Amino acid sequence: MSEQPPGLEPGTRVVVTGAARGIGRALASRLAAGGCRVVVADRDAEPLAEVAHRLDALAVPGDVAGEAGIASLVEAARDHLGGIDAWFGNAGIDRGRGLEMSEQDWADTHELNVMAHVRAARLLVPEWLERGRGRFVVTASAAGLLTMLDAPAYSVSKHAAVAFAEWLSATYRHRGIVVQAICPQGVQTDMLTRSGELQQLLSRDEALAPDVVAETVWEALGSERFLILPHPEVAGYYAARASNTDTWLGGMNRLQRKIEEARA
Ligand SMILES: NC(=O)c1ccc[n+]([C@@H]2O[C@H](COP(=O)([O-])OP(=O)(O)OC[C@H]3O[C@@H](n4cnc5c(N)ncnc54)[C@H](O)[C@@H]3O)[C@@H](O)[C@H]2O)c1
């Protein structure tokens, strides 16, 4: 286990959303093992209660996409912990495929993958500005730096999540607010299992265990660097996209054609 990251001394009061399973559960477990006081939230009450019991955390079941859900989570966490030092906005969905996906799937994806972060920041940042410190960690995705074939709403929403986190950091860093964006490729969770044959094929070789992602995040909390990349190769793809966008897009399109050929 690595050293305690600066700013996350034992007793640090944290909230993790989407913590009933997958990356959120692993993050909450790592934070609790590091001595943090943890509040976990998820719409799936039963597995959430099990996680909370195991971690001696408070479970706040409910939907964390809308304004009311975020507000009641923030209130419950403040009542229980006496304040919130760090927020891990991790709950996310991956719905729909291709141009056929419905208006409702686009809207639901935007609500949770983007607006939940905006709503949480709106409630948390004023308190953190008064205190001169606070930490906001968004679980985005490598799809937020690159793209995810077949998944337009997921890609767009994760780009927006990274953009919002960048905006927060650019606006408030000098006032003590640390913002970080976790951008993994495939992680072995229910989301990856549900994502269909294509995504499983694309991430077959490099899908990480959620605990490995959580350990990378724990280590990166100390450095306070903005991008947390559990798959280090993403940094190279991101640089290639920026420095030669057409070559990068051509490579993505070649991958798409290979997939179509394999499917035919
Ligand atoms: N698994 C991957 O390959 C991968 C890769 C990159 C990024 N991510 C991101 O990591 C985060 C966690 O993903 P995961 O793979 O652990 O997914 P998961 O589906 O295994 O777990 C997500 C959890 O979020 C909860 N949730 C979903 N919508 C909710 C809502 N409206 N309110 C409250 N809780 C809600 C679910 O009940 C579930 O417990 C997501 O933001 C996802 O986009 C995942």
Side-chain angles (χ1 to χ4, degrees):
M1 295 259 163
S2 55
E3 263 172 47
Q4 201 76 23
L8 280 195
E9 57 273 0
T12 297
R13 302 162 297 181
V14 307
V15 177
V16 183
T17 73
R21 57 176 60 74
I23 298 171
R25 179 175 60 191
L27 281 175
S29 304
R30 185 61 187 89
L31 291 161
C36 294
R37 293 177 60 209
V38 181
V39 169
V40 285
D42 202 288
R43 64 180 173 193
D44 208 347
E46 212 174 294
L48 182 72
E50 283 167 30
V51 171
H53 179 70
R54 192 167 50 76
L55 303 182
D56 197 20
L58 175 73
V60 183
D63 190 319
V64 299
E67 251 185 310
I70 291 281
S72 53
L73 171 57
V74 168
E75 194 184 340
R78 279 184 178 143
D79 282 353
H80 181 72
L81 300 170
I84 298 168
D85 301 310
W87 179 271
F88 290 78
N90 168 81
I93 49 172
D94 168 23
R95 288 249 188 92
R97 288 292 175 260
L99 275 179
E100 297 73 32
M101 70 180 284
S102 68
E103 289 280 330
Q104 193 60 54
D105 281 345
W106 272 95
D108 291 348
T109 304
H110 182 72
E111 279 290 287
L112 181 62
N113 292 8
V114 184
M115 291 309 296
H117 302 306
V118 177
R119 290 166 181 148
R122 201 186 278 145
L123 295 175
L124 294 164
V125 167
E127 175 193 329
W128 290 345
L129 290 177
E130 261 177 42
R131 265 198 273 148
R133 69 189 290 207
R135 187 186 292 259
F136 196 84
V137 184
V138 171
T139 307
S141 168
L145 303 175
L146 306 166
T147 195
M148 181 159 138
L149 291 174
D150 233 15
Y154 188 77
S155 300
V156 169
S157 70
K158 293 297 185 175
H159 272 261
V162 172
F164 178 64
E166 284 173 347
W167 179 86
L168 269 183
S169 183
T171 306
Y172 295 114
R173 184 68 191 90
H174 66 299
R175 298 175 70 184
I177 298 183
V178 175
V179 183
Q180 294 175 289
I182 309 169
C183 296
Q185 290 192 294
V187 184
Q188 296 154 9
T189 68
D190 292 356
M191 179 182 280
L192 188 62
T193 310
R194 280 192 312 267
S195 66
E197 202 189 344
L198 171 62
Q199 301 312 328
Q200 287 170 44
L201 185 76
L202 290 175
S203 56
R204 187 182 49 200
D205 295 332
E206 79 271 12
L208 297 175
D211 289 350
V212 173
V213 174
E215 193 58 34
T216 309
V217 173
W218 177 257
E219 282 161 16
L221 293 174
S223 75
E224 300 189 350
R225 66 179 184 267
F226 178 75
L227 281 183
I228 303 179
L229 302 178
H231 300 77
E233 61 272 29
V234 169
Y237 304 150
Y238 188 42
R241 172 181 177 267
S243 61
N244 196 336
T245 309
D246 292 305
T247 305
W248 173 79
L249 271 176
M252 291 304 292
N253 186 241
R254 270 195 302 283
L255 187 56
Q256 171 72 23
R257 278 182 282 162
K258 264 194 205 158
I259 290 161
E260 288 176 12
E261 279 159 24
R263 276 175 173 169

